[in-house]
Amino acid sequence: MSAQLPGVQPAHTALASDDPREIGGYRLHARLGAGGMGVVYLAYTPGGRPIALKAVRAEFAADPEFRERFAQEVASARRIHGLFTAQVVDYGVDARTPWLATAYVPGPTLQQVVQRHGPLPVRTVLLLVAGIAEALQGIHGVGVVHRDLKPANVLIAADGPRVIDFGIARAADAAALTGAGLRIGTAAFMAPEQALGLQATAATDVFALGALAVYVSGGAPPFGGGPESAALYRVVHEAPDLAPVPAALRDLLGCCLAKRPEDRPSTAELIAAVHAHPAVGPRPEFADGWLPHPVSADIAGHGTGPTPPPHVQPTVTATAFSSRSPHPGVGAVIGSPGGTGPSAGTGPSAGTGPSAGPGSVGGSGRAPTTPPGGPEAHPAGARAHTPSSRRAPRRGGRLLLTALVAFLALVVGGAAVYYLDPPPEEGTDPAGATGEPPVRPSVTVQPSSGAPKPSGATAYTAGYAGVELTSPDTSYEFDLKAGKVVPESTAAWYLARTDKGFVLPEESDAFIATGDELSPADCVRGIESEPVTTLPFAELADQRPFCLRSADQKEVVIARLVEVAEDGGSVTVVVDHHRRDG
């Protein structure tokens, strides 16, 4: 029988009467867990994708120093994109209740696995050590120390572990938190320097990984249970109890639990030791059979994910054709009746939540390409995912739609005219009258200082610039308005990707530069003369710039492909955003 540790809760529990029903524009559905820092909720994006949203406790939210450090740590955590971590997808550092949202991983925690099934076999433990060590490398690489690595903060998926709750512990530990029961970290897995209030480093997390592996392989933490004060004393002054641990693991885990940080192995040395272990071999893989069958069956029970809460089916209202508008409505306006559900103008602003304007659910009607909560709900489990056919470019559809509108106008004897571009002004010579094409206005970019525009020019104001974004796999897309990475089918104006190239947003225009430089003016001219309907990675090598223009022609992004991992892994881009003035 494994030792009982505090904090284990059912996978989902109903919301309490005092729980909020919405945070940051996300609908809350159930509780996933609770701890000293706050409450973790199962929430849903407007597009129906599940996420894990952690809301910080009120006493932390009231501490200005905590808020400042929390914002710094969230900024660091956003850069963590390892395959063995749960991706940060959104955050609200300035909200009344600060919060952080990560990808939802449909699987139990390591703590639940051991409590339900007992200690795990040597090979399974070694693979877990290698996977978690790799996750720590990603976390430490951006200057974050986890400080609360424990079995309850490691989720188990079919293709390996996922470390969660990084980026918060350091922020809380640095704040002046002296209230009862607010100790940061878990005594049974704390390193001696952490227990003594000294500086925590990457070696602190290695100690916690060793303690975690002892618990997973032996069924009990290395320094016992009981009162927290007693456990902390043993952590600092006594040797770990490795008797329940299989002999094949004792030397490795004993090194991790060295009292002095400098005596512990690095994460790279841990991974190398796992590679060299005879129970694993030089190529550790999370393939079929890496977990005992009962544990795999347990994970399969989570695999279907949560059932989304019921919501009102969006209504579709056709818009009228008009000969007076340069862009008469020919599509559909999609919204949620009765004000329920996300709608334009009520969602969070860019950078603090999913865009809820036209084009998001409640705007474009884009739906998730797979059922919510399936294997694509976490980064590494979605590599077999293929974007929906509705994400494919529909340039031909626009031309067909134009022809259809013109045909209908002729049939009914009306005089409606549909323009893909603004109509010529009165008194100008339209194309065909003199045999020459109409002259298009020039496009210039001006600073937002209020300087006068050249006559006939269209000015663009720079928005965000030089933002580096990494999509872990095809279940994530780039939110072009907000300049961040979000779950697929979340953003209103997006750039999705397959394993071979980018997927254009519906009704958006794109252009690939021929040289090394590309301005908004060049982008618009290129779109008008040489638009493209595909953006294969092969054509974007050497950071060749490309651009996209929004469907309303008011926004332009210029991007460069920085890196594409092999086998459908992560894709990194650098993006600049510009908005048309007026």
Side-chain angles (χ1 to χ4, degrees):
M1 178 66 68
S2 61
Q4 185 74 17
L5 293 177
V8 174
Q9 298 186 10
H12 304 150
T13 58
L15 295 175
S17 59
D18 58 345
D19 281 325
R21 264 49 186 178
E22 177 270 338
I23 293 178
Y26 296 105
R27 295 170 293 137
L28 305 187
H29 183 51
R31 279 188 174 216
L32 292 176
M37 282 296 305
V39 179
V40 182
Y41 297 101
L42 169 63
Y44 284 89
T45 69
R49 291 290 300 275
I51 57 172
L53 189 150
K54 182 162 191 173
V56 173
R57 285 173 52 169
E59 52 264 48
F60 292 173
D63 187 327
E65 185 178 354
F66 168 82
R67 281 183 169 272
E68 180 180 354
R69 294 184 182 276
F70 177 73
Q72 294 171 356
E73 292 306 321
V74 168
S76 296
R78 290 179 62 198
R79 304 199 304 271
I80 300 171
H81 301 299
L83 295 178
F84 295 114
T85 60
Q87 178 72 50
V88 173
V89 296
D90 207 351
Y91 54 92
V93 296
D94 296 323
R96 182 176 180 181
T97 299
W99 55 272
L100 179 70
T102 63
Y104 173 77
V105 180
T109 67
L110 257 181
Q111 184 170 329
Q112 292 168 331
V113 166
V114 174
Q115 289 185 332
R116 294 169 186 169
H117 306 287
L120 299 178
V122 168
R123 184 173 185 276
T124 299
V125 174
L126 287 167
L127 290 174
L128 287 171
V129 167
I132 296 171
E134 184 175 327
L136 291 177
Q137 285 183 324
I139 294 170
H140 299 158
V142 297
V144 176
V145 180
H146 194 295
R147 301 193 181 202
D148 196 21
L149 182 65
K150 58 185 178 182
N153 280 341
V154 177
L155 299 173
I156 300 300
D159 59 350
R162 301 289 187 279
V163 175
I164 62 173
D165 257 4
F166 47 81
I168 295 180
R170 181 179 177 185
D173 199 32
L177 305 174
T178 58
L182 296 186
R183 180 184 297 277
I184 302 304
T186 303
F189 300 95
M190 278 187 182
E193 63 272 18
Q194 190 176 7
L196 292 171
L198 303 178
Q199 182 179 5
T201 65
T204 303
D205 286 342
V206 170
F207 186 98
L209 175 53
L212 176 152
V214 169
Y215 171 75
V216 171
S217 61
F223 298 98
E228 183 180 76
S229 58
L232 290 175
Y233 178 87
R234 290 192 291 268
V235 164
V236 174
H237 299 287
E238 297 183 2
D241 179 9
L242 302 182
V245 176
L249 297 174
R250 288 177 191 165
D251 288 344
L252 178 63
L253 303 189
C255 291
C256 295
L257 296 173
K259 299 296 185 188
R260 299 196 314 166
E262 58 269 27
D263 293 336
R264 300 168 202 155
S266 67
T267 51
E269 289 170 336
L270 271 178
I271 294 172
V274 170
H275 288 194
H277 200 285
V280 174
R283 295 183 59 187
E285 296 178 353
F286 292 95
D288 291 343
W290 81 274
L291 285 168
H293 179 72
V295 180
S296 297
D298 193 355
I299 292 174
H302 285 75
T304 55
T307 302
H311 61 278
V312 180
Q313 184 69 24
T315 58
V316 179
T317 306
T319 57
F321 300 124
S322 168
S323 60
R324 298 181 181 273
S325 170
H327 293 282
V330 294
V333 178
I334 301 179
S336 299
T340 59
S343 59
T346 61
S349 61
T352 59
S355 178
S360 64
V361 171
S364 75
R366 281 194 297 140
T369 58
T370 49
E376 83 290 356
H378 56 83
R383 292 194 173 188
H385 169 74
T386 302
S388 166
S389 60
R390 72 174 61 196
R391 304 298 292 273
R394 301 198 304 177
R395 194 85 47 203
R398 292 179 72 182
L399 298 177
L400 178 61
L401 184 58
T402 304
L404 178 60
V405 172
F407 173 76
L408 290 174
L410 291 173
V411 169
V412 300
V417 179
Y418 178 75
Y419 294 97
L420 284 178
D421 297 300
E425 296 181 7
E426 238 180 275
T428 61
D429 183 30
T434 62
E436 297 292 334
V439 177
R440 298 187 182 276
S442 62
V443 179
T444 62
V445 177
Q446 292 184 339
S448 56
S449 60
K453 307 175 189 177
S455 176
T458 300
Y460 280 80
T461 299
Y464 61 80
V467 175
E468 183 173 308
L469 304 173
T470 299
S471 165
D473 56 53
T474 56
S475 69
Y476 286 85
E477 65 190 10
F478 303 110
D479 185 333
L480 299 179
K481 286 183 178 290
K484 60 183 180 180
V485 179
V486 297
E488 187 216 9
S489 298
T490 299
W493 187 32
Y494 61 90
L495 181 61
R497 35 91 40 136
T498 66
D499 294 343
K500 302 296 183 183
F502 294 112
V503 178
L504 291 177
E506 297 173 0
E507 307 304 334
S508 284
D509 304 292
F511 170 70
I512 301 176
T514 55
D516 294 332
E517 301 296 330
L518 183 62
S519 68
D522 297 331
C523 173
V524 173
R525 284 192 290 266
I527 285 172
E528 299 296 347
S529 60
E530 299 178 83
V532 298
T533 58
T534 60
L535 293 170
F537 294 150
E539 292 188 23
L540 304 175
D542 300 322
Q543 300 193 27
R544 183 181 179 187
F546 63 98
C547 68
L548 295 93
R549 183 174 64 179
S550 61
D552 60 8
Q553 302 187 8
K554 293 183 179 180
E555 295 175 89
V556 167
V557 295
I558 298 171
R560 296 174 187 267
L561 178 63
V562 176
E563 183 179 13
V564 179
E566 297 179 357
D567 302 325
S570 62
V571 172
T572 300
V573 296
V574 172
V575 186
D576 298 332
H577 176 271
H578 304 271
R579 176 178 288 276
R580 191 179 73 186
D581 294 343

